[in-house]
């Protein structure tokens, strides 16, 4: 089997777009994203954008390092193995997975935050193109 | 030909997609002379005091949108749990949503631990959430309640700092209310005395601050009992008109009366039913 396919099976779907414009038909969507400039592409539009995107990751990192300091290396290692296993239980890339196992491990199954109320991905109005997303995930793209 | 891009799985929570567009619109609009719509704030006086058996929380009831009163009788004392209530100042939507989220979280936590929730738990949850959003959530809160360790009162600022004190005030009228507290607060007050003190503090905020107004709401929390008094005092009653421009019946004298009956026959009667399924 194709090694590139195997490797991309381990990571979640990420957008292919790098420097190509985000609007449809390849033209810059001026109404939604303003005028093009390299600065606009690279810098975040709101001070909270980066910190919110990485919030869960950073929180996990902090918890793991505290756990390592208290209980030794085995504790975060075991937990990270479980996280990795739980993250692989997903539906097809264009469908929304419930992430129940991951939530239970993290302890976020009995908390409510803005991520559960605002722009719930299960109710998003757009869907990725199924064929494209599966092809990308399998590395055939 | 259209380009297709593979989508990253969308995350829930705040979406920052429109921020760049909004900042461009704001700068463009100010050049032309329009102003962007402002958020509804509560421009408030809220306060709380610890008395002998519990907590008294007080709030005014005016919500402002810029220089206009948006709501003459809004409720600023929010429910967090049966023994904990929270007054909110700042952006009205932010205080509303934040208190509702924390109330849900506290309920889940109480179900998970099997115990009555503590005020310190609510305080910690609120402060961690507000710090996470670095003050962009404009919610200044006065949190009070009675739990197994007695009565507790906290004030929570939008950036996430908290204070645990026997009497606190927040909002645009906080200085007026604090002046009343500093003058008349004593430890171990009785309930009626505490209620009168909070009522006077809120009244000071209402009459001396433009952002606060209308009525005074009180919430008295003691061990095992909550008294939500809304309104406790209608400090600003809308005026009653003393005169009337409408003419009474019989002002104009009737000179003569002629009655012409119209002979109409019923031709057809149809009934059209509404589809109420």
């Amino acid at each position: 089997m194709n090694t590139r396919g195997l490797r991309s099976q381990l990571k979640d779907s990420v957008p292919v777009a790098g420097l190509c414009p985000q609007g449809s038909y390849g033209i810059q969507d001026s109404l939604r994203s303003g005028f093009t400039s390299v600065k606009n592409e690279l810098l975040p539009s709101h001070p909270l954008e980066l910190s919110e995107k990485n919030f869960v990751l950073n929180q996990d990192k902090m918890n793991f390092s505290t756990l390592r300091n208290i209980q030794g290396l085995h504790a975060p290692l075991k937990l990270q193995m479980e996280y990795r296993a739980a993250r692989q239980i997903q539906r097809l890339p264009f469908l929304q997975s419930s992430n129940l196992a991951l939530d239970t491990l993290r302890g976020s199954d009995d908390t409510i935050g803005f991520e559960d109320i605002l722009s719930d991905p299960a109710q998003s109005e757009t869907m990725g193109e199924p064929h494209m997303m599966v092809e990308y995930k399998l590395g055939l793209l | 030909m259209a380009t297709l891009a593979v989508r990253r799985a969308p995350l829930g929570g705040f979406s920052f997609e429109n921020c760049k567009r909004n900042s461009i619109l704001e700068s463009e609009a100010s050049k032309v002379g329009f102003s962007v719509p402002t958020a509804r704030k509560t421009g408030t006086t809220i306060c709380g005091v610890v008395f002998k058996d519990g907590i008294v929380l007080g709030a005014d009831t005016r919500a402002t949108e810029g220089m206009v009163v948006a709501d003459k009788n809004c409720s600023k004392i929010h429910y967090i749990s049966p023994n904990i209530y929270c007054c909110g100042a700042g952006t009205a939507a932010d205080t509303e949503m934040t208190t509702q989220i924390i109330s849900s979280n506290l309920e889940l936590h109480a179900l998970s631990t099997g115990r009555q929730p503590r005020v310190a738990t609510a305080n910690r949850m609120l402060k961690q959430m507000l710090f996470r959003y670095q003050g962009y959530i404009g919610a200044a809160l006065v949190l009070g309640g009675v739990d197994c360790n007695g009565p507790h009162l906290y004030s929570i600022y939008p950036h996430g700092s908290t204070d645990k004190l026997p009497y606190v005030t927040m909002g645009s009228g906080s200085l007026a209310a604090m002046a009343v507290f500093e003058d008349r607060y004593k430890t171990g007050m009785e309930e009626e005395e505490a209620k009168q003190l909070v009522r006077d503090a809120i009244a000071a905020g209402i009459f001396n601050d433009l952002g606060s107004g209308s009525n005074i709401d009180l919430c008295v929390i003691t061990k095992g009992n909550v008294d939500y008094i809304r309104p406790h005092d209608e400090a600003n009653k809308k005026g009653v008109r003393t005169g009337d421009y409408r003419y009474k019946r019989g002002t104009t004298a009737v000179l003569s009366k002629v009655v012409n009956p119209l002979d109409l026959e019923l031709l057809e009667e149809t009934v059209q039913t509404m589809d109420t399924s």
Side-chain angles (χ1 to χ4, degrees):
Chain A
M1 193 158 170
N2 178 353
T3 50
R4 184 163 152 244
L6 271 177
R7 200 182 49 187
S8 58
Q9 267 176 7
L10 289 176
K11 67 175 191 251
D12 306 329
S13 301
V14 288
V16 173
L19 290 173
C20 57
Q22 276 122 354
S24 47
Y25 305 109
I27 300 178
Q28 179 63 15
D29 195 354
S30 304
L31 178 66
R32 268 182 267 233
S33 24
F35 296 106
T36 33
S37 77
V38 178
K39 187 180 77 149
N40 275 349
E41 297 288 324
L42 294 176
L43 291 182
S45 49
H46 193 273
L48 283 182
E49 191 174 352
L50 283 177
S51 87
E52 277 301 298
K53 199 155 61 158
N54 299 326
F55 183 75
V56 178
L57 281 162
N58 286 339
Q59 210 181 26
D60 283 347
K61 261 190 233 175
M62 197 172 73
N63 288 339
F64 282 141
S65 74
T66 320
L67 205 53
R68 184 199 172 139
N69 290 333
I70 297 175
Q71 294 191 5
L73 188 57
H74 77 287
L77 274 183
K78 271 201 191 135
L79 275 177
Q80 275 187 320
M81 190 183 75
E82 289 177 20
Y83 273 48
R84 192 166 284 214
R87 211 174 288 139
Q88 288 181 356
I89 312 167
Q90 300 262 324
R91 289 175 175 234
L92 289 172
F94 53 91
L95 293 173
Q96 184 58 28
S97 343
S98 70
N99 290 325
L100 186 60
L102 202 54
D103 273 350
T104 313
L105 278 175
R106 268 203 199 107
S108 61
D109 60 335
D110 57 1
T111 48
I112 293 182
F114 286 113
E115 54 272 358
D116 300 305
I117 302 173
L118 300 175
S119 54
D120 189 4
Q123 296 172 6
S124 77
E125 296 133 355
T126 56
M127 190 177 82
E129 168 73 29
H131 296 289
M132 300 278 299
M133 295 184 79
V134 175
E135 279 175 19
Y136 182 75
K137 183 150 190 208
L138 293 176
L140 302 170
L141 192 60
Chain B
M1 186 175 134
T3 54
L4 294 168
V6 175
R7 244 168 109 248
R8 185 202 310 272
L11 297 168
F14 291 109
S15 141
F16 297 101
E17 281 170 0
N18 289 331
C19 284
K20 283 208 194 87
R21 176 204 75 169
N22 288 347
S23 57
I24 291 177
L25 279 178
E26 220 173 304
S27 57
E28 294 294 315
S30 64
K31 273 188 223 147
V32 184
F34 293 122
S35 59
V36 288
T38 50
R40 179 186 300 194
K41 299 183 79 76
T42 49
T44 291
T45 312
I46 49 175
C47 66
V49 92
V50 177
F51 70 99
K52 195 170 69 154
D53 305 318
I55 303 271
V56 180
L57 296 172
D60 72 305
T61 58
R62 176 184 286 183
T64 54
E65 220 168 69
M67 286 285 118
V68 177
V69 173
D71 191 345
K72 288 192 281 277
N73 200 357
C74 75
S75 150
K76 297 184 191 178
I77 308 188
H78 307 286
Y79 165 89
I80 302 262
S81 86
N83 58 326
I84 303 175
Y85 276 72
C86 181
C87 311
T91 310
D94 288 347
T95 58
E96 190 72 44
M97 297 261 47
T98 307
T99 46
Q100 282 176 354
I101 287 180
I102 297 300
S103 167
S104 306
N105 274 329
L106 211 57
E107 174 76 15
L108 287 169
H109 188 259
L111 288 168
S112 165
T113 56
R115 298 179 179 152
Q116 198 193 39
R118 300 187 193 189
V119 190
T121 316
N123 176 49
R124 182 124 323 216
M125 285 181 176
L126 280 166
K127 117 202 311 223
Q128 283 178 349
M129 168 183 278
L130 290 175
F131 183 72
R132 172 178 169 180
Y133 294 104
Q134 292 291 297
Y136 281 96
I137 293 194
L141 307 164
V142 166
L143 176 74
V146 179
D147 57 24
C148 55
N149 289 337
H152 303 277
L153 186 65
Y154 293 89
S155 71
I156 304 166
Y157 292 83
H159 281 265
S161 60
T162 61
D163 276 318
K164 182 175 193 318
L165 294 165
Y167 55 95
V168 290
T169 65
M170 293 286 249
S172 55
S174 61
L175 292 174
M178 186 53 93
V180 175
F181 275 163
E182 289 286 5
D183 188 30
R184 285 162 43 186
Y185 173 79
K186 323 194 277 293
T187 49
M189 283 186 289
E190 293 299 327
E191 179 173 332
E192 280 312 312
E193 210 183 329
K195 276 161 72 170
Q196 185 62 29
L197 177 63
V198 171
R199 187 242 156 244
D200 288 341
I202 301 288
I206 287 177
F207 290 119
N208 294 299
D209 176 42
L210 289 177
S212 321
S214 302
N215 314 326
I216 301 171
D217 289 348
L218 280 194
C219 183
V220 184
I221 311 174
T222 50
K223 195 164 180 66
N225 185 39
V226 171
D227 229 349
Y228 191 108
I229 314 169
R230 173 176 158 82
H232 175 251
D233 192 344
E234 282 189 33
N236 295 312
K237 248 196 268 282
K238 199 164 174 192
V240 178
R241 287 216 183 98
T242 48
D244 196 9
Y245 283 113
R246 227 178 292 158
Y247 293 109
K248 285 199 290 292
R249 269 184 173 278
T251 311
T252 313
V254 177
L255 292 177
S256 65
K257 194 154 83 171
V258 172
V259 178
N260 281 331
L262 291 171
D263 294 322
L264 300 170
E265 10 178 306
L266 187 61
L267 285 178
E268 190 192 329
E269 190 175 329
T270 55
V271 176
Q272 189 173 35
T273 48
M274 266 191 344
D275 186 10
T276 53
S277 54

